[in-house]
Amino acid sequence: MDRFAIRGGVPLCGEVAASGSKNSSLALIAASLLTDQPFELSNVPRVRDVDTFVRILETLGLAAQWKTGDRLALAGGMPASHEAPYDLVRTMRASFMVLGPLVARCGRARVSLPGGCAIGARPVDQHLRGLEALGAKVRLSGGYVEAQAERLRGTRFEFDMRTVNGTQNVLMAACLAEGTTLLENAAVEPEVGELIDVLTGMGARISGRDTDRLEIQGVPELSSVDHRVAGDRIEAGTLLIGAAITGGDATVTGVRPADLDAVLSKLRETGLEVTATDDSIRVRRSGPVTGTHVATAPFPGFPTDMQAQMMALLCTAQGGSMLSETIFENRFMHVSELRRLGADITVDGRTAFIQGVSELTGAPVMATDLRASASLVLAGLAARGETHINRVYHIDRGYERLEEKLQALGGRIRREKV
Ligand code: EPZ
């Protein structure tokens, strides 16, 4: 088991490139099931979640292999199996997105229910309702979803709430359905837009990108594509908050500023200097950071995946802050660990009240989930003294070589075997 040993107090300065988007990569790997032709993705981050998805493709009888560096070659072809097993799906819930493509392409699928995770129950009812609306027969048996359809038929379906993977799952299925599908209250995250770009490149006919109303004209089959995955906006935001919390001046390249608009405007509200070009963002701290109010929301609102990292920054701000988590019901696991570093946080339901402190103090802490762990790394970089973060496998799920990127910015962080 690895841990990070961090000696805080050094301002992060310099320039670092973001890796490709983990969340986009996962949806695009699922999209490879929609065609029998091979397709390649570049700028794919080498993170554990991607490796897990590759293993799931292999259990379906589909080859995928890493070529040079960040290039992932997906063989395409007809799946030999239609079953995604519990022991893999439970470790990486996004693999539930094989359901829509398998039913659309092969007429049937048996996919383990992903179950809950640390941040919430995370039901998949919207995924299932959407597939049923497309004509699939769906039943639950022994913890698995069994879905069948001779051929999916176009329909009009409205999601009860904004769901990113739910939108992606149903959208992919609709591409091969017979006739026209209208999806309403669809998620508009950049990862949905990127999936639409790739599906369109494969021959799908989709209108309404960047809106919550998608119209899909089904086609009989899809072809291949060679796509470079967009930069990971959440990784970029995490690194930029690293500069902010340590009083530094850092630029992250290979990311679209528009994908982080809500985060950048909140950072400006705290007094940070934020500038951007077409594909890079710079954050510079030239004075005190002052508290502010943040509420997470579906895109274009403040992303829930940046909530924990923003909380770490607000713990060191002057004055009080309020942070509401409106998406997931249990996404404050970082609070008790931040308190161990000296943070002053009170939680009332889904709202955290933060009173900024002048200094955090290093201590051993425990990582619990991907973004909570990232916030502890950021806090450790700002804290006086040494911070040990145990169970960094959580971080390795979604951040590629995070410690190397932070070292490149001057951070005193090293990975240790324990
Ligand atoms: C995606 O998860 C991301 N994961 C999450 O990132 C991200 O936090 C989330 O979107 C919100 O932006 C990937 O893309 C792989 P949702 P997803 O469905 O799609 C409820 C990270 O750290 N809901 O948009 O699973 C759900 O419980 C991860 O990289 C239902 O009730 O999230 C939640 O409260 C964490 N029924 C809300 O909707 C459903 O059928 C939004 O969840 C589906 C969702």
Side-chain angles (χ1 to χ4, degrees):
M1 188 111 54
D2 291 358
R3 78 175 178 190
F4 282 156
I6 299 172
R7 277 187 304 124
V10 175
L12 296 189
C13 295
E15 183 172 299
V16 69
S19 295
S21 166
K22 166 194 68 102
N23 289 346
S24 254
S25 298
L26 298 176
L28 298 177
I29 290 170
S32 74
L33 289 168
L34 290 166
T35 174
D36 61 1
Q37 296 181 22
F39 85 55
E40 297 210 352
L41 296 172
S42 60
N43 201 33
V44 179
R46 286 198 171 231
V47 294
R48 282 177 58 232
D49 277 3
V50 169
D51 288 337
T52 302
F53 216 148
V54 166
R55 285 212 313 279
I56 287 170
L57 286 188
E58 286 161 355
T59 60
L60 297 174
L62 298 169
Q65 67 173 53
W66 287 102
K67 299 175 84 170
T68 51
D70 57 28
R71 182 167 275 273
L72 184 63
L74 301 160
M78 185 54 88
S81 159
H82 309 98
E83 178 161 330
Y86 172 66
D87 64 329
L88 281 176
V89 174
R90 72 184 173 85
T91 66
M92 211 279 292
R93 60 177 299 103
S95 47
F96 195 70
M97 280 193 284
V98 303
L99 182 66
L102 281 176
V103 176
R105 184 84 194 291
C106 314
R108 61 197 175 97
R110 186 168 188 270
V111 179
S112 168
L113 279 166
C117 76
I119 64 176
R122 302 187 72 183
V124 289
D125 56 299
Q126 301 298 307
H127 300 238
L128 304 183
R129 281 189 57 236
L131 291 176
E132 285 176 322
L134 285 167
K137 294 283 171 285
V138 175
R139 77 187 191 99
L140 302 184
S141 156
Y144 278 73
V145 172
E146 296 178 352
Q148 287 195 322
E150 279 305 305
R151 172 126 197 239
L152 296 174
R153 287 185 316 281
T155 185
R156 178 193 164 282
F157 176 71
E158 181 168 358
F159 290 96
D160 292 337
M161 88 284 296
R162 292 288 173 89
T163 160
V164 177
N165 289 173
T167 298
Q168 292 169 320
N169 217 344
V170 178
L171 167 63
M172 287 188 281
C175 288
L176 291 179
E178 189 162 6
T180 303
T181 297
L182 182 60
L183 298 182
E184 296 190 295
N185 199 20
V188 295
E189 270 67 6
E191 294 76 21
V192 175
E194 184 167 8
L195 175 62
I196 289 173
D197 293 343
V198 168
L199 292 169
T200 304
M202 294 166 71
R205 295 167 57 196
I206 305 166
S207 58
R209 187 195 199 282
D210 295 333
T211 77
D212 63 358
R213 200 168 184 279
L214 298 176
E215 185 168 304
I216 304 105
Q217 307 287 342
V219 293
E221 60 182 13
L222 292 171
S223 62
S224 73
V225 72
D226 188 323
H227 175 77
R228 176 177 173 77
V229 178
D232 193 312
R233 62 193 179 104
I234 304 301
E235 182 198 44
T238 304
L239 294 166
L240 291 167
I241 289 190
I245 200 171
T246 57
D249 177 358
T251 298
V252 178
T253 60
V255 67
R256 291 181 300 221
D259 293 352
L260 273 176
D261 251 355
V263 174
L264 302 187
S265 62
K266 280 297 167 188
L267 294 180
R268 289 189 179 103
E269 263 180 40
T270 66
L272 291 159
E273 191 183 309
V274 179
T275 50
T277 67
D278 288 349
D279 66 350
S280 72
I281 305 168
R282 177 181 177 187
V283 167
R284 180 169 169 271
R285 179 169 170 172
S286 52
V289 163
T290 55
T292 186
H293 291 184
V294 179
T296 63
F299 197 85
F302 191 97
T304 173
D305 291 350
M306 283 297 301
Q307 179 256 108
Q309 300 91 309
M310 189 70 187
M311 185 183 288
L313 176 63
L314 295 175
C315 289
T316 66
Q318 284 182 347
S321 298
M322 198 165 79
L323 209 166
S324 297
E325 171 52 62
T326 71
I327 307 290
F328 291 109
E329 67 268 26
N330 187 36
R331 205 169 195 177
F332 281 155
M333 254 117 36
H334 40 290
V335 170
S336 50
E337 299 305 301
L338 288 169
R339 285 190 186 124
R340 289 178 49 72
L341 301 176
D344 179 354
I345 309 169
T346 310
V347 171
D348 176 10
R350 289 195 177 190
T351 299
F353 299 89
I354 302 133
Q355 190 56 42
V357 294
S358 56
E359 189 176 64
L360 295 173
T361 309
V365 289
M366 183 74 72
T368 52
D369 65 270
L370 175 56
R371 307 305 177 182
S373 315
S375 86
L376 297 176
V377 171
L378 301 179
L381 289 164
R384 179 170 47 78
E386 182 121 347
T387 297
H388 286 163
I389 299 176
N390 297 297
R391 298 187 180 176
V392 293
Y393 59 83
H394 289 291
I395 291 181
D396 294 335
R397 290 193 52 173
Y399 289 95
E400 184 180 32
R401 297 179 287 103
L402 181 63
E403 72 273 21
E404 291 177 23
K405 293 180 172 120
L406 292 169
Q407 287 161 1
L409 295 173
R412 291 180 303 198
I413 176 172
R414 66 177 187 280
R415 183 186 288 261
E416 297 176 343
K417 295 283 178 209
V418 289

